[in-house]
Amino acid sequence: MSKILFVLTGVDHWTLADGTKHPTGFWAEEVVAPYEAFTAAGHEVVVATPGGVVPTVDAGSLAPEVNGGREGADEVAAALASIGEIQHPIRLEDVRPADYDAVFYPGGHGPMEDLAVNATSGKVLADTLRSGKPLGVVCHGPAALLAATDADGSNVFAGRKVAAFTNAEETQAGLAEKAKWLLETRLVEAGVDVQVGEPWVPHVVVDGNLVTGQNPSSSAPLAAELLKKLG
């Protein structure tokens, strides 16, 4: 059995360019699908957030229209409610990456607010990447990669191939024009090699021990790739 660290956003909003706070948090499917895959395989999951706050689910991620209808939405909500670890997160500040066999970052717009500028999270990501242990990041989770920098300011993930929520998807979601910055653009500016797939279609990129997914529908296939690496 392996121990897998889930690092979730600790905020319930994303501050837009005009200063308004867009309600958000983590995206349900991006936690539920990997959690179910890992625990079904016999692995243990530990949830961490900045400050150890209980994370907030983005209410939009529980809507029927993003879960294939009311039945799917009810299933996701029930599955999420059954994950006790979410109600008892540890403090990200207390995490020792060496204690875990793999690390996973789900998305939701929350990471755009806090993990994108969280140096503790950035060190967890850098240490995990360099350790060779499986590292999975999906959708808006790659915002956290922006905080993984070396002493000279260069990004640890520069030159690495990743998938992340695209500018096209942000535009189609109706938030691109309201955002202070766009994830795909900022990653490219940091030297990360963003591999863009079709909007909303599962798209997973594997680069060594780094496994990334573009959008919510990439969560389950990403988890499958991480399980392969865990053996």
Side-chain angles (χ1 to χ4, degrees), residues 40-64:
H43 303 307
E44 176 188 355
V45 169
V46 175
V47 173
T49 62
V53 302
V54 175
T56 299
V57 63
D58 187 316
S61 68
L62 300 176

Side-chain angles (χ1 to χ4, degrees), residues 190-204:
V192 181
D193 184 1
V194 180
Q195 307 280 300
V196 177
E198 290 297 315
W200 313 113
V201 177
H203 177 56
V204 174

Side-chain angles (χ1 to χ4, degrees), residues 71-174:
E71 184 178 348
D74 289 344
E75 288 176 359
V76 168
L80 188 62
S82 73
I83 302 176
E85 293 89 343
I86 287 180
Q87 298 303 316
H88 303 282
I90 65 172
R91 285 167 31 92
L92 180 60
E93 295 81 1
D94 297 333
V95 162
R96 294 179 63 252
D99 293 340
Y100 300 92
D101 301 292
V103 175
F104 172 67
Y105 277 65
H109 280 103
M112 301 279 283
E113 183 79 16
D114 63 348
L115 298 180
V117 293
N118 187 303
T120 300
S121 170
K123 188 174 188 307
V124 169
L125 286 164
D127 289 352
T128 304
L129 182 71
R130 288 165 171 159
S131 74
K133 293 178 181 178
L135 173 60
V137 195
V138 69
C139 200
H140 286 93
L145 307 188
L146 297 170
T149 54
D150 281 322
D152 63 359
S154 62
N155 193 281
V156 172
F157 291 87
R160 301 302 291 259
K161 293 181 172 65
V162 308
F165 201 72
T166 64
N167 291 355
E169 286 166 319
E170 202 72 84
T171 299
Q172 290 175 23

Side-chain angles (χ1 to χ4, degrees), residues 4 22 35 40 58 126 142 154 184 204:
I4 303 171
H22 175 72
Y35 179 89
D58 187 316
S154 62
E184 178 190 334
V204 174

Side-chain angles (χ1 to χ4, degrees), residues 29 70 165:
E29 180 183 358
R70 170 50 59 191
F165 201 72

